[in-house]
Amino acid sequence: MDDKIVLTGIKPTGTPHIGNYIGALKPLIKMSQSHKTFMFIADLHALNAVHNAKEIKQHTYEIAALMIAMGLNLENTVLFRQSDIDEIYKLSSFLMNVTPKGLMNRAHSYKACVEKNMEMGADVDTGVNMGLYTYPILMAADILLYNSDIVPVGKDQKQHVEFARDIAGYFNNLYGKTFKLPEPVISEDAGLIPGLDGRKMSKSYDNTIPLFAPSNELKKKIMRIITDSKTPEESKDPDTSTIFQLYKHFANESEIAALRKRFLDGGMGYGTAKTILFEKIDSVLSTPRAEYERLMANTSEIDAILADGAQKARFVASKTIAKVKKKMLG
Ligand code: ADP
Ligand code: TRP
């Protein structure tokens, strides 16, 4: 077991889909097998955009249940809900005072909002709440609270981890070495998983396949995948086919090679390819899906796991807060 502490957060802003799973959740589950891991559902980070408690709670359960059902190593992992950790509010608040406003002005997500407003001729701060503006400080607090060494994130979050390093550095300069400097690890690029319409699978395009869609819904979605208009006889390009791109992530090597050959050889219609894809995903996911459904029907079991995680996380967090408070306030 590597002795580095791994930490990451996942925002509960949608029902996890195949793209989220392959791109983000699967690599984390793998990492949890060999590292001491802190993994939390970042419900506070969802708040700047989602103002609906029921929705956040539902997606929190979905993500936790998915991680557990897909084999997250709960021996090595502290799994918890961000908002259950009172120390997070404290550390954010302390860190505000060593974080230059200019750093926040440079954050990609804030800048994107400002630029969009400028393009539309609106006031630059339209739609920007302080949760969005201070998002990187809350994220730095997440990372620094648990002495994290490694923070696996998608490319879009790299800047935030760098900001956490910067903020740790400002603090250490002012108060003496207190925080470790965390390293972002950009998850191996699984490539973008395409959605039903061939664009990146994303909830914003409404083209997703939920990882644990019930069998009949999974089938319906897969049958809706957009293809080109090649006849069954014609040879087809597996590398540009959404069907094949999805299949690759669920089948084994010989199955992948066999389907690739059928695409190239011709003689197989897209309808048949979709059925093959459906049957593969449906069978690979049937056991974890049953576990997911069981957990979603017994959310008190998820609550108990999250409560246990929160207790362990707070044990570490409270020590950090005591240290920071002493340094800042005596
Ligand atoms: P969405 O695009 O549906 O809003 P998010 O932006 O919430 O998804 O993504 C959460 C995580 O899932 C990110 O780390 C991102 O890298 C990963 N992810 C999302 N969609 C895909 C995709 N189509 N292919 C690969 N990874 C993805
Ligand atoms: N901001 C991350 C995202 O949108 C989620 C997140 C919150 C996170 N806190 C974190 C990731 C700390 C890594 C470490 O995906």
Side-chain angles (χ1 to χ4, degrees):
M1 169 110 99
D2 193 314
D3 60 2
K4 294 242 161 77
I5 297 176
V6 174
L7 169 136
T8 200
I10 303 151
K11 257 194 311 188
T13 47
T15 298
H17 54 70
I18 289 181
N20 298 143
Y21 173 66
I22 305 288
L25 306 179
K26 192 177 174 195
L28 296 175
I29 292 172
K30 189 164 166 223
M31 211 158 199
S32 77
Q33 308 304 340
S34 54
H35 289 80
K36 169 105 179 112
T37 307
F38 286 86
M39 190 170 298
F40 58 93
I41 321 289
D43 54 351
L44 296 174
H45 272 114
L47 274 181
N48 73 72
V50 185
H51 298 144
N52 179 328
K54 238 172 113 179
E55 223 178 274
I56 294 181
K57 198 160 181 195
Q58 170 72 10
H59 297 320
T60 297
Y61 282 138
E62 288 170 351
I63 292 168
L66 182 150
M67 300 297 270
I68 299 165
M70 290 310 274
L72 181 74
N73 185 322
L74 282 172
E75 301 247 309
N76 298 341
T77 309
V78 178
L79 179 67
F80 60 101
R81 191 192 326 243
Q82 183 187 29
S83 61
D84 284 343
I85 312 302
D86 286 356
E87 289 76 8
I88 195 68
Y89 309 95
K90 296 185 184 171
L91 189 57
S92 294
S93 180
F94 284 134
L95 293 179
M96 297 268 174
N97 302 289
V98 300
T99 304
K101 176 168 177 281
L103 191 70
M104 299 299 98
N105 292 341
R106 292 198 347 249
H108 298 319
S109 45
Y110 167 68
K111 267 171 64 182
C113 285
V114 169
E115 277 158 22
K116 200 165 137 215
N117 283 333
M118 277 163 53
E119 261 168 42
M120 297 190 338
D123 182 273
V124 288
D125 283 330
T126 304
V128 177
N129 58 38
M130 289 305 286
L132 172 68
Y133 191 62
T134 59
Y135 188 107
I137 303 181
L138 178 61
M139 186 153 157
D142 286 329
I143 294 171
L144 302 178
L145 199 49
Y146 311 100
N147 312 313
S148 321
D149 295 293
I150 297 180
V151 186
V153 281
K155 263 193 226 118
D156 62 321
Q157 296 296 315
K158 183 165 180 258
Q159 187 198 38
H160 287 149
V161 183
E162 288 163 354
F163 280 6
R165 270 180 85 89
D166 292 341
I167 294 171
Y170 300 138
F171 190 99
N172 290 349
N173 277 340
L174 280 165
Y175 293 104
K177 178 144 179 26
T178 308
F179 293 118
K180 284 194 212 167
L181 301 185
E183 294 276 354
V185 172
I186 308 307
S187 41
E188 227 175 277
D189 204 354
L192 282 183
I193 308 299
L196 299 178
D197 58 1
R199 292 186 291 174
K200 167 191 182 249
M201 187 180 289
S202 169
K203 60 181 170 294
S204 12
Y205 296 146
D206 200 14
N207 65 355
T208 66
I209 307 177
L211 185 73
F212 286 133
S215 214
N216 55 349
E217 189 190 326
L218 178 66
K219 185 164 195 176
K220 253 197 234 152
K221 294 254 179 192
I222 288 177
M223 292 303 160
R224 271 180 43 207
I225 292 175
I226 294 174
T227 62
D228 58 32
S229 51
K230 291 220 164 90
T231 62
E233 294 70 37
E234 281 179 274
S235 163
K236 302 173 181 64
D237 181 3
D239 297 318
T240 56
S241 162
T242 301
I243 304 169
F244 187 75
Q245 293 314 307
L246 292 174
Y247 187 77
K248 272 196 332 200
H249 290 285
F250 292 92
N252 65 32
E253 286 197 9
S254 64
E255 290 166 335
I256 296 169
L259 191 65
R260 169 178 281 281
K261 185 163 183 311
R262 290 188 72 182
F263 264 77
L264 294 170
D265 285 353
M268 173 186 66
Y270 283 121
T272 307
K274 287 178 180 178
T275 303
I276 293 171
L277 173 65
F278 162 69
E279 283 170 357
K280 177 84 289 180
I281 300 186
D282 196 48
S283 76
V284 168
L285 292 182
S286 82
T287 307
R289 181 170 54 208
E291 174 63 359
Y292 174 84
E293 284 169 358
R294 191 189 68 75
L295 287 163
M296 289 303 287
N298 294 284
T299 48
S300 57
E301 214 176 292
I302 305 175
D303 283 327
I305 293 172
L306 294 177
D308 179 57
Q311 199 190 1
K312 292 181 176 141
R314 291 195 69 183
F315 180 76
V316 179
S318 60
K319 290 190 187 168
T320 306
I321 286 298
K323 204 158 60 171
V324 169
K325 196 170 172 194
K326 180 114 185 55
K327 294 209 175 184
M328 291 187 93
L329 296 169

